Amino acid sequence: MPVSLSAVPPHPEDCRLSEFAAAVLEGLSSSPRALPCRFFYDARGSELFEAITRLPEYYLTRAETAILEGGAEDLLASVEPGATLIEFGSGSSRKTELLLGSGRFAVYTPIDVSSTALADAAARLRRRFPALAITPLVADFTADLRLTGACGTAPAVGFFPGSTIGNFNPWDARALLRRMGALLGPDGRLVIGVDLRKDRERLIAAYNDAAGVTAAFNLNLLARMRRDLDARVDLDAFAHRTLYNETLGRIEMHLVSLAPQRIDVAGQSFAFAAGETIHTESSYKHTPEGFAALAAAAGWRTRRILTDDEKLFAVMLLETD
Ligand SMILES: C[S@@+](CC[C@H](N)C(=O)[O-])C[C@H]1O[C@@H](n2cnc3c(N)ncnc32)[C@H](O)[C@@H]1O
């Protein structure tokens, strides 16, 4: 019987909705105001993210794809046939096809908060890899995940692409990597995509594209409040803002209030002055050595560091110590 995963507790749709309401109330009550970026990804948010990955300014997906096209065999050389691949924040699972194409995996468990992205990806992958057992899990990968059922003989390999680890500050990233290590077990391996430090202009353009797709993605958080929570909020009175915080080495995305106004949501009313912001996402940029040190502090040894020709992005193979 293959490895399977369960989230503890499970996340039925209605439970996720009230979780969104609770996060909005907490985030708009805090100072400075902030919302967790995982709430970007409802069906519309996942669609917009896919559009972002095709933008000329968004080098991340192209660079990571190029690395995996040339390096998947190398990264997976020690993986026994019949292994399980567990992906954290799988989205469309496009890059995953480059790992699944190796033929080494018998089971694929994509995990994502976006049920529509998971369902679309699973349907496509079932057509392309009919012999692969695909067991998607709608869950928050920061939750307490457990392997259930009899674990097969091969250990599980984790895949965490897309620079999603960059959404976590170094302390939370360390804690998350430690939990992933515990989940994947003593011979665990993790293939992880890490965005690298580079010049400010290139970074800012990737999160503030000329066509305004990233702005629509950011504003979708407010649109989602309207759709899911019946919020009263004027989308035209907020603007997308991107900045690079050089001291912390992170891109920040904010929603800026363009005028004095209120957001009414979940029975509460929040006043905004003109210029007041909601911090909606951070994306930490690393050096390969700095990320290897962070991973080491979470119990992972770095086995391989692959980069693209321009050294924009790194895919690293980690093994549990
Ligand atoms: C930056 S996108 C990357 C998508 C895809 N892996 C890629 O590389 O293109 C982040 C993905 O992780 C998912 N995600 C974000 N936070 C999550 C969380 N806490 N638990 C589960 N999925 C999450 C989002 O729904 C989205 O699909």
Side-chain angles (χ1 to χ4, degrees):
M1 192 170 143
V3 176
S4 64
L5 263 177
S6 71
V8 185
H11 281 256
E13 288 290 333
D14 56 349
C15 165
R16 285 205 314 283
L17 264 193
S18 60
E19 204 194 321
F20 181 41
V24 167
L25 292 180
E26 187 185 335
L28 296 187
S29 307
S30 63
S31 179
R33 287 176 165 149
L35 292 170
C37 65
R38 70 179 183 279
F39 292 108
F40 280 134
Y41 298 95
D42 63 351
R44 178 72 185 134
S46 295
E47 251 171 46
L48 285 165
F49 180 74
E50 276 309 293
I52 288 173
T53 65
R54 294 189 288 270
L55 291 168
E57 296 94 334
Y58 199 77
Y59 60 84
L60 292 87
T61 306
R62 277 188 303 282
E64 190 174 31
T65 302
I67 295 168
L68 291 172
E69 277 167 354
E73 279 304 317
D74 181 14
L75 292 165
L76 300 178
S78 67
V79 175
E80 306 78 356
T84 291
L85 184 67
I86 299 173
E87 181 168 357
F88 304 98
S90 48
S92 67
S93 299
R94 294 266 168 213
K95 284 168 283 187
T96 321
E97 296 191 21
L98 297 165
L99 301 190
L100 296 175
S102 70
R104 288 174 197 269
F105 297 103
V107 182
Y108 171 50
T109 300
I111 305 170
D112 207 290
V113 284
S114 174
S115 54
T116 51
L118 267 181
D120 291 351
R124 191 186 78 249
L125 292 174
R126 285 191 178 110
R127 286 194 297 276
R128 168 140 191 225
F129 302 102
L132 183 70
I134 301 179
T135 54
L137 183 67
V138 180
D140 179 345
F141 58 59
T142 65
D144 186 11
L145 298 173
R146 309 227 175 120
L147 294 170
T148 57
C151 297
T153 46
V157 177
F159 185 37
F160 195 20
S163 173
T164 307
I165 190 66
N167 295 147
F168 295 82
N169 70 42
W171 302 273
D172 291 341
R174 205 154 45 218
L176 179 61
L177 289 174
R178 195 171 278 291
R179 273 202 303 283
M180 287 177 175
L183 176 78
L184 295 170
D187 294 314
R189 277 153 289 183
L190 181 65
V191 175
I192 185 163
V194 179
D195 195 18
L196 300 179
R197 293 210 179 175
K198 57 186 65 65
D199 63 277
R200 162 191 294 271
E201 286 67 35
R202 186 133 199 198
L203 281 171
I204 288 182
Y207 293 83
N208 191 22
D209 59 285
V213 185
T214 314
F217 176 73
N218 198 2
L219 285 159
N220 180 55
L221 257 182
L222 301 178
R224 182 179 182 180
M225 280 184 210
R226 270 197 193 157
R227 281 193 297 272
D228 290 358
L229 306 177
D230 251 346
R232 284 185 49 191
V233 46
D234 181 0
L235 263 60
D236 294 332
F238 280 91
H240 166 68
R241 178 186 289 164
T242 302
L243 58 91
Y244 183 52
N245 183 329
E246 197 129 24
T247 315
L248 297 176
R250 72 182 193 196
I251 281 284
E252 295 178 11
M253 295 203 323
H254 298 263
L255 290 165
V256 189
S257 176
L258 298 175
Q261 58 176 317
R262 311 189 74 82
I263 295 181
D264 297 324
V265 59
Q268 293 195 35
S269 187
F270 298 92
F272 283 77
E276 224 180 306
T277 60
I278 309 172
H279 184 174
T280 52
E281 185 179 270
S282 292
S283 185
Y284 283 81
K285 309 302 170 189
H286 296 277
T287 61
E289 305 71 33
F291 192 81
L294 189 157
W300 290 96
R301 219 170 333 135
T302 298
R303 273 279 167 223
R304 283 267 186 292
I305 302 178
L306 305 182
T307 61
D308 58 295
D309 292 344
E310 286 186 85
K311 300 213 173 351
L312 298 173
F313 200 91
V315 177
M316 301 175 56
L317 172 65
L318 310 180
E319 290 178 358
T320 40
D321 245 342

